[in-house]
Amino acid sequence: MVRIDSFAVMMEQARSLGPLPVAVAAADETETLASLVEAQAEGIITPVLVGNTPATEAIAAREGFDLSGMTLIHEPDYVAAARKTVALVREGTAAIVVKGQTKTADLLKAVLDRETGLRDRGLLCHVAVFETAVCDRLLYISDSGVVPQPTWEQKLQIIDAAVDVAHRFGVEQPKVAILGANERVDPAMPVGLESLMVARLAQERWGERAIVEGPMALDLALRPDVAAKEGVRSAVAGAADILIVPGVESGNIMCKGMQYFAGAKLAAVIVGARAPVLIPSRADDAETRLHCMAMAVVWAGTR
């Protein structure tokens, strides 16, 4: 598989793997419909819209969206729509779950239901991919959306999930930096000690599957000149593909800072279930939602 180092290549790969059927929970919202129409036109998805059909059709008529080729299932109750969306993926009718107007908590509850959901053996976690002007590669960041304060055991699962995504994007041996304030282990900063332990456990567990180091400061992880000035000899320093953040708060702030201050482009997916789950932010525009769907298509299409 070709290594995906830009969103343009990601879109090309998604087109080659698509179209994949996606089930959308309550699509009666303008940005959601706009991204679905565009993704269908790009040939990467075939939408199944579960929700208030008259409301969806009214938005389409008002905005000039063409719904031909889409399947509409009328379920005006958003909680029931979330369950139906998950059921469609569980039975194989769709390959990807997408949140529309349904509340995130209701959709994840349906995904995690032990009897009717999409539970797998792994931990649900959020993996974001960024295209930036300062890196010649995509950057993967996890977890910035699901696990509030991960334990060291959960961090191992988060690393595993991010590495899996990178592998599907053609990164054969991703370099993983577990982020901290600096690379020194200080008893006054327990996160650093934990990061060192997790890095060594991950390396022992996965061998050649990835190179994992930590703790590591952000600039050291990304900038070869900083590594040279610090005298740090490392396969990861200055060349990290994957950044593992301490928790949701730091990860969320970092990801939004990259978007709003650095102009980075974002795609993100929740992994760990039997199918990728997309839970776009209210602030995400149609382009970001399109990129998220392309990322999910690449993930689902390379299983």
Side-chain angles (χ1 to χ4, degrees), residues 3 43 53 64 110 144 152 167 176 187 259 270 289-290:
R3 174 165 173 151
T53 295
S144 60
W152 67 265
H167 281 167
V176 183
Q259 281 184 280
I270 292 177
R289 293 169 191 249
L290 173 65

Side-chain angles (χ1 to χ4, degrees), residues 210-240:
I211 303 173
V212 185
E213 295 184 8
M216 189 172 291
L218 179 62
D219 56 349
L220 180 62
L222 297 180
R223 292 182 52 177
D225 60 319
V226 172
K229 288 178 181 178
E230 295 288 339
V232 176
R233 294 184 178 181
S234 157
V236 176

Side-chain angles (χ1 to χ4, degrees), residues 8-22:
V9 176
M10 179 179 72
M11 289 297 300
E12 290 176 8
Q13 190 68 15
R15 291 186 197 102
S16 72
L17 294 167
L20 295 186
V22 304

Side-chain angles (χ1 to χ4, degrees), residues 82 103-113 124 146 270 277 279:
K103 292 180 180 179
T104 298
D106 291 334
L107 185 59
L108 290 182
K109 182 178 179 181
V111 169
L112 291 171
D113 188 284
L124 280 193
V146 177
I270 292 177
V277 179
I279 300 181

Side-chain angles (χ1 to χ4, degrees), residues 116-144:
T116 61
L118 300 171
R119 269 185 180 271
D120 208 346
R121 290 174 294 178
L123 174 77
L124 280 193
C125 65
H126 182 274
V127 180
V129 179
F130 283 91
E131 181 182 76
T132 73
V134 296
C135 284
D136 60 355
R137 61 194 181 279
L138 295 180
L139 294 177
Y140 303 78
I141 298 176
S142 192
D143 174 307
S144 60

Side-chain angles (χ1 to χ4, degrees), residues 19 26 33 35 39 50 76 101 109 123 134 148 165 202 229 240 257 269 285 287:
L33 273 182
S35 62
V50 182
Q101 288 282 75
K109 182 178 179 181
L123 174 77
V134 296
V165 173
K229 288 178 181 178
V269 64
D285 58 19
E287 181 185 46

